[in-house]
Amino acid sequence: MLRVGSVCEAGKSRLNKTGDWRTLRPQVTDKCNGCGICELFCPDSCIVLENKKAVIDYDYCKGCGICANECPKQAIEMEEERN
Amino acid sequence: MSVSVMEGSMAVAEAIKVCRPKVISAFPISPQTHIVEELSKMVADGQLDAKYIRVDSEFSAASAVYGSSATGVRSYTASSSQGLLLMIEVLYAMAGTRLPVVLTGVNRTVSAPITIQPDHQDTMALRDTGVIQLHVENSQEAYATHIQAFKLAEDHDILLPVMVCMDGWILTHSYEPIKLEDQKLVDSFLPNFVPKYRLDPKNPLTYGAYADEQVQEFRLMQHFAMERAKSKIEVIANDYQKIFDQYYGGLIDEYKCDDAEVVLVAMGSVIGTFKDAVDTLRTEGVKVGIVKVRSYRPFPGEKIAQAVKNARVVAVMDKSMSVGQGGPLATDVKSAFANKEAPPVLSCIAGMGGRDVTIETVRKMVTKAQLALKTGKIPDIEYTDFRPEYLED
Amino acid sequence: MASQERINLLAPGHRACPGCGAAVALRQILRPLGRNTIAVSATGCVETFTSPYDQSSWEVPWMHSLFENSGAVASGVRAALDVQGEKDVNLVVISGDGGTFDIGMGALSGMLERKDNVTYICYDNEAYMNTGVQRSGSTPHAAATTTTPSGKKSYGKIEYKKDVPGIVWAHDAEYVATASIAYPQDLMRKVKKANEIYGPKYIQVHTPCCIGWGFDASKTIQVGKLAVETGLVPIYEMEKGQPVKVKKAAEKKPIEEYLKVQSRFKHLFKEQERDEVIKELQAICNANIEHFGI
């Protein structure tokens, strides 16, 4: 249903799973200490901290690699996406 | 109710005051009228409880009321000529976002050559914006039509900007006795603005989204709202009459059309002159009538066709030109008559750049129309009071 | 940080390029503002990638209308909030450098002059990226864009970056600062500070663009840091017309380190005579280092 004035609801871009854009896949390793720097730098709002660890939502991660590049502990490794 | 003699611009300001807009934004030049000066005085004197945003351009004036209307308050602006042209991009967006802003379009021509004289060239350039355009004949009608305009714009079946078009100088700067309505009565006619959607952190909506697939539907939604406005304009004019005992027509108004052989079609302040001319011509035995087009967008093609069904010829006067085509009003009338049983249409261009339209001008149009009937040849276009001897090329 | 401090107001699924600096900027800008915020944007990358119809990424009310009017639209929004007694709502403009430095300058100037209570944030990616990397008033000297290409008779953009923070300060704005997405704590502190000040505020956020500048998507933050460490992009706040709280660079990097990682400057390394241009860019950095005390 198209709303008058092309007004739309908040946050519905979640319907658009951008994970399939990915060619490289970040993997969080045991070196992660949950500092959260990757979360602040992630353009795609797809990293959260759970139990002091970075957790990546692969439904949306586009695989840019900023998280791996900025991690002060080198705790994120970029691997070829096989899915 | 009270009656005072005042300038047309002041009558508009008085009308806006009783409509209680919460935000007014305007840029005064290019060229402006006294409307926004008077409104700023009303705000300064505490007679009107509104925020008045003084801006850097007409573009910003339209943009500011765009923002305020989307944040849920009744909003107003006014401009003229070049200023209206500068607003065009915003007006398209405003209509597309379905924001019920009311503005006054004081009709003056556009550069070049630069001038401040009146004609309809400016608002014609806004014809396809999706803004409803209502033309008025005199300042009292301007007063009434602004009050009607807010009611129309804010109706949830419509939600489009409405521009009240009035001739610069001829109306804005001439003095007439104006009947001013009581606030309570206006409040009963025009209740508070209830927005359909608004910018509100408690309900975070996205305005101005990007669309590809849906563009055609959104444009058609505007068009269908315009179509619905046709009946709404008539209803609102009738309701206004019931409360205020004033009526200026709905989509159109007719003057002595019933038995007329020649019907003149026009918009704006020339209607007054036309009425005098018709009265004079009728004493000479010429059966002439007038259709005043009050709503230019939406265009009341069916109503006009109905009004002229007994006429033998129709003469349409345009105070502007689509250069390379002709008179826009005549073009619309011809298009409305296509594929119908309808009289032939003579397109007359007159009154551009403020050239006086007199009873003699009207007489020339009627004579041309009669000649066309006699010879059976309708000229493509008739340039009334045109001086070809002055042209270089 | 406690979990609510990690509030995320840009929903995933938006259409920004991988590694988009503007998306990083948006997340960092919105976090200190919180949900009680209305955002206004000009046409540009952010508008396009956050708002395809019915799949909005905005978690706060947001309005875009046109390219050149976000300052004026924001004034209208603020006026409407005021007359409705909603004075505690945060109001932020988030517009690009094209909508700020160039086509929207008049509307911004009007907003500043009126002292409207708006935090205006320019995400500065130094060209018209949304339409295919055309030069703006913010594009640095000598950068190649699609309208300032390098060639036999051209070394890229001839003009210099406009000093918009200076122009804003000349309007007697309440707060002026620059920031970079490479320094998020500094950026978020500035947004929070600006939001708590009444009146017009301006923050210019340096926002690297991997597509438009020509570097790998993973290097967005790294390139942002280099811009600051060379002195080309000074990060500061303004007080009484003077830059204060300037971000210092312990070790000043030569400009070549910044230039050579971006393809928009690669033409400067191909021909000997372009050394003069690199020297000139280094001179700009040196002047910044001295003037700002970097």
Side-chain angles (χ1 to χ4, degrees), chain C:
Chain C
M1 259 191 218
S3 62
Q4 72 250 48
E5 289 176 320
R6 291 262 177 200
I7 187 170
N8 179 49
L9 296 171
L10 180 75
H14 62 69
R15 269 81 163 172
C17 310
C20 174
V24 178
L26 268 186
R27 297 188 61 238
Q28 295 179 2
I29 291 163
L30 292 172
R31 180 160 292 175
L33 293 171
R35 289 190 186 276
N36 192 29
T37 299
I38 293 175
V40 171
S41 287
T43 308
C45 284
V46 159
E47 167 263 326
T48 315
F49 77 68
T50 59
S51 81
Y53 182 74
D54 223 17
Q55 292 198 0
S56 170
S57 300
W58 293 89
E59 301 280 18
V60 295
W62 174 79
M63 169 169 255
H64 153 257
S65 69
L66 296 164
F67 199 1
E68 62 272 56
N69 65 354
S70 46
V73 171
S75 292
V77 172
R78 179 54 84 191
L81 288 171
D82 284 353
V83 298
Q84 294 174 105
E86 298 175 55
K87 291 182 193 289
D88 61 335
V89 175
N90 308 319
L91 178 58
V92 64
V93 171
I94 303 174
S95 291
D97 49 291
T100 303
F101 284 57
D102 295 343
I103 197 166
M105 180 56 84
L108 169 60
S109 175
M111 185 204 97
L112 296 168
E113 185 212 350
R114 286 187 297 274
K115 303 273 179 222
D116 289 328
N117 185 22
V118 179
T119 302
Y120 190 112
I121 300 181
C122 170
Y123 67 95
D124 179 15
N125 56 19
E126 301 189 328
Y128 296 94
M129 297 315 186
N130 184 41
T131 46
V133 198
Q134 297 86 13
R135 63 82 80 190
S136 78
S138 170
T139 306
H141 181 62
T145 67
T146 52
T147 51
T148 59
S150 68
K152 273 186 190 162
K153 295 185 174 181
S154 168
Y155 55 83
K157 189 190 176 194
I158 298 162
E159 303 83 8
Y160 297 81
K161 188 181 181 103
K162 263 192 217 177
D163 178 17
V164 173
I167 293 168
V168 175
W169 185 258
H171 285 74
D172 199 23
E174 294 302 319
Y175 180 73
V176 176
T178 62
S180 165
I181 61 162
Y183 303 98
Q185 299 301 344
D186 178 68
L187 189 157
M188 292 191 292
R189 178 186 65 81
K190 284 169 176 166
V191 173
K192 185 168 186 292
K193 181 173 175 182
N195 187 49
E196 285 166 0
I197 297 170
Y198 186 88
K201 292 85 60 169
Y202 178 79
I203 304 174
Q204 187 167 299
V205 178
H206 196 242
T207 304
C209 167
C210 49
I211 301 289
W213 299 6
F215 59 81
D216 186 81
S218 64
K219 304 266 185 344
T220 302
I221 304 305
Q222 210 173 311
V223 170
K225 281 183 184 154
L226 278 171
V228 175
E229 288 164 350
T230 54
L232 189 64
V233 176
I235 303 298
Y236 56 92
E237 293 173 80
M238 295 273 270
E239 261 177 29
K240 296 176 183 164
Q242 295 303 315
V244 296
K245 295 185 183 162
V246 177
K247 176 142 300 269
K248 308 273 183 190
E251 181 201 342
K252 275 83 177 166
K253 302 214 165 131
I255 190 65
E256 283 93 336
E257 283 197 31
Y258 179 62
L259 302 179
K260 71 188 178 194
V261 295
Q262 304 174 59
S263 61
R264 63 176 173 162
F265 294 114
K266 69 171 187 276
H267 57 284
L268 298 180
F269 297 95
K270 282 183 182 160
E271 290 176 50
Q272 196 100 51
E273 62 263 37
R274 303 276 162 86
D275 285 354
E276 289 305 311
V277 181
I278 295 175
K279 276 184 199 155
E280 197 185 349
L281 289 166
Q282 183 62 59
I284 292 171
C285 295
N286 294 346
N288 280 345
I289 288 163
E290 190 178 338
H291 175 71
F292 291 96
I294 293 166

Side-chain angles (χ1 to χ4, degrees), chain B residues 223-285:
Chain B
H223 179 68
F224 298 146
M226 275 270 186
E227 288 291 317
R228 291 194 290 273
K230 286 181 178 174
S231 57
K232 206 72 84 172
I233 288 166
E234 304 252 330
V235 168
I236 288 171
N238 291 332
D239 288 351
Y240 192 88
Q241 184 179 24
K242 276 178 214 148
I243 294 182
F244 302 106
D245 196 25
Q246 304 257 331
Y247 183 77
Y248 305 93
L251 291 164
I252 64 168
D253 201 17
E254 297 175 39
Y255 186 70
K256 300 186 179 176
C257 280
D258 289 345
D259 64 340
E261 290 188 345
V262 181
V263 172
L264 301 162
V265 178
M267 304 192 292
S269 62
V270 289
I271 298 296
T273 309
F274 274 37
K275 284 176 180 167
D276 283 347
V278 163
D279 291 347
T280 305
L281 287 162
R282 279 191 173 257
T283 63
E284 299 165 14

Side-chain angles (χ1 to χ4, degrees), chain A residues 10-66:
Chain A
K12 282 178 73 181
S13 62
R14 285 185 178 82
L15 295 171
N16 183 45
K17 303 282 173 73
T18 49
D20 58 4
W21 296 20
R22 199 169 54 239
T23 56
L24 295 172
R25 182 184 182 90
Q27 291 284 9
V28 182
T29 67
D30 289 346
K31 286 193 258 177
C32 174
N33 66 355
C35 74
I37 281 174
C38 56
E39 189 276 341
L40 263 180
F41 285 136
C42 174
D44 296 309
S45 305
C46 59
I47 301 178
V48 289
L49 295 177
E50 283 174 13
N51 304 322
K52 296 194 173 174
K53 291 277 177 207
V55 177
I56 294 170
D57 186 343
Y58 294 104
D59 277 352
Y60 301 104
C61 170
K62 296 170 188 163
C64 68
I66 288 178

Side-chain angles (χ1 to χ4, degrees), chain B residues 152-378:
Chain B
L152 176 66
E154 294 169 3
D155 189 304
H156 283 203
D157 286 339
I158 309 297
L159 291 175
L160 286 170
V162 178
M163 174 167 62
V164 180
C165 305
M166 66 190 294
D167 286 313
W169 295 120
I170 302 165
L171 297 185
T172 52
H173 289 68
S174 60
Y175 282 72
E176 286 179 42
I178 299 293
K179 181 177 167 246
L180 302 174
E181 305 297 352
D182 291 341
Q183 184 68 60
K184 272 190 180 166
L185 223 47
V186 175
D187 289 346
S188 71
F189 177 79
L190 178 68
N192 287 337
F193 171 41
V194 180
K196 187 175 172 82
Y197 303 117
R198 66 183 284 261
L199 289 170
D200 178 6
K202 291 183 224 43
N203 180 25
L205 297 172
T206 287
Y207 268 79
Y210 178 88
D212 281 326
E213 280 294 301
Q214 309 86 349
V215 169
Q216 184 158 325
E217 278 72 25
F218 282 127
R219 191 78 68 208
L220 287 173
M221 283 164 80
Q222 288 178 57
H223 179 68
F224 298 146
M226 275 270 186
E227 288 291 317
R228 291 194 290 273
K230 286 181 178 174
S231 57
K232 206 72 84 172
I233 288 166
E234 304 252 330
V235 168
I236 288 171
N238 291 332
D239 288 351
Y240 192 88
Q241 184 179 24
K242 276 178 214 148
I243 294 182
F244 302 106
D245 196 25
Q246 304 257 331
Y247 183 77
Y248 305 93
L251 291 164
I252 64 168
D253 201 17
E254 297 175 39
Y255 186 70
K256 300 186 179 176
C257 280
D258 289 345
D259 64 340
E261 290 188 345
V262 181
V263 172
L264 301 162
V265 178
M267 304 192 292
S269 62
V270 289
I271 298 296
T273 309
F274 274 37
K275 284 176 180 167
D276 283 347
V278 163
D279 291 347
T280 305
L281 287 162
R282 279 191 173 257
T283 63
E284 299 165 14
V286 187
K287 287 185 177 171
V288 196
I290 304 164
V291 169
K292 163 171 115 176
V293 177
R294 198 161 169 262
S295 170
Y296 182 59
R297 285 292 178 275
F299 189 70
E302 314 83 358
K303 282 270 171 190
I304 299 169
Q306 181 67 23
V308 305
K309 64 177 190 299
N310 298 325
R312 294 183 63 208
V313 64
V314 170
V316 182
M317 190 196 121
D318 269 288
K319 273 177 118 174
S320 68
M321 275 202 84
S322 169
V323 178
Q325 211 288 334
L329 181 59
T331 303
D332 285 332
V333 170
K334 285 178 186 172
S335 134
F337 289 3
N339 310 322
K340 285 194 187 79
E341 282 274 321
V345 177
L346 174 68
S347 165
C348 303
I349 306 285
M352 294 210 297
R355 184 163 300 174
D356 281 344
V357 175
T358 63
I359 290 178
E360 278 314 301
T361 315
V362 183
R363 187 187 289 279
K364 284 180 202 166
M365 293 177 195
V366 172
T367 306
K368 282 278 178 186
Q370 287 174 318
L371 183 69
L373 269 186
K374 204 174 286 175
T375 59
K377 285 181 188 157
I378 307 284

